[in-house]
Amino acid sequence: MKVRSSTVQSGSTVSAAPWKRSATTAVFMVLLAVLGLSLLAGISVGSTSIAPGIVAQVLAAKLLPHGWIDVHSLREADTVVVWLIRAPRVLVAALVGAGLALAGVQMQGLFKNPLASPDILGTSTGAAFGAVLAIACGLATRSPLYVPLLAFLGALMALGAVYTIAMRPGHIPVATLLLAGMALSALLGAATSLVLSLQFVSYQVAQEILF
């Protein structure tokens, strides 16, 4: 009986595997369709509304080989707004969202908790602290690249500090890693508030940091 039951269970598992793969594929296809529609809506909606058909025509004219799409019916203003202004912003927003989702999945896999997020290890507060330092020190006025650069360095240094604190010979306890991340996150949050308080004498700089 045990042999028969194990055989039945293995057969049901094998038969369920293709169904799970097809369901996963269907979910991904639906999500890709939703992403495409969201990108199209993000480019179409704005201070100057542009019809989705025109947006699709402009994108196709820019992405497909020359001559495949008739561009004589397109206005120059619509082409500039779609291709040079809105499309880069929407694409960057999509990439940022994908990066946040990937970071969240990594944290959830590390802590084996679906509620885990990147701020548990202090990376979010480290990035915020680095960005605030770039704005408060005036580096952002020299080049807009200083803000994301210092934010990345702040997140990297915070993550390295957490791992250094939690590291034990031969292994890294997850509980210690979690506590170290929360403690460092609180410390960096306090440091960010301190920088904001010191820069509050300059109203313009404080408003730039806050918003």
Side-chain angles (χ1 to χ4, degrees):
M1 295 296 293
K2 292 182 178 179
V3 176
R4 183 178 179 181
S5 62
S6 61
T7 304
V8 173
Q9 289 179 359
S10 62
S12 62
T13 303
V14 172
S15 62
W19 180 84
K20 289 183 179 180
R21 285 196 296 267
S22 61
T24 303
T25 303
V27 169
F28 273 106
M29 294 300 294
V30 171
L31 291 178
L32 285 177
V34 172
L35 176 61
L37 293 176
S38 300
L39 295 177
L40 188 63
I43 299 175
S44 301
V45 178
S47 57
T48 302
S49 298
I50 302 177
I54 297 178
V55 174
Q57 189 176 0
V58 171
L59 295 178
K62 293 295 183 179
L63 296 176
L64 296 178
H66 181 71
W68 285 26
I69 303 297
D70 184 17
V71 297
H72 295 89
S73 60
L74 296 176
R75 296 187 305 170
E76 184 66 22
D78 293 338
T79 303
V80 171
V81 170
V82 170
W83 185 250
L84 297 180
I85 299 177
R86 294 184 183 176
R89 295 179 180 179
V90 172
L91 184 60
V92 169
L95 292 177
V96 170
L100 291 175
L102 181 61
V105 168
Q106 290 178 340
M107 292 298 105
Q108 292 170 8
L110 176 63
F111 292 103
K112 296 180 176 60
N113 190 333
L115 297 179
S117 60
D119 56 352
I120 289 180
L121 295 183
T123 53
S124 298
T125 50
F129 181 67
V132 166
L133 281 182
I135 298 174
C137 296
L139 296 176
T141 59
R142 300 181 183 180
S143 174
L145 296 178
Y146 279 111
V147 175
L149 178 61
L150 288 185
F152 176 77
L153 292 178
L156 191 63
M157 292 178 63
L159 187 61
V162 170
Y163 268 91
T164 302
I165 294 172
M167 188 176 297
R168 296 295 181 269
H171 71 290
I172 300 178
V174 177
T176 308
L177 188 67
L178 177 62
L179 293 176
M182 295 179 64
L184 188 64
S185 179
L187 179 63
L188 291 175
T192 303
S193 299
L194 177 62
V195 174
L196 289 174
S197 300
L198 294 177
Q199 287 295 327
F200 193 74
V201 293
S202 176
Y203 181 77
Q204 183 177 0
V205 175
Q207 290 295 107
E208 185 178 358
I209 293 174
L210 290 173
F211 300 103

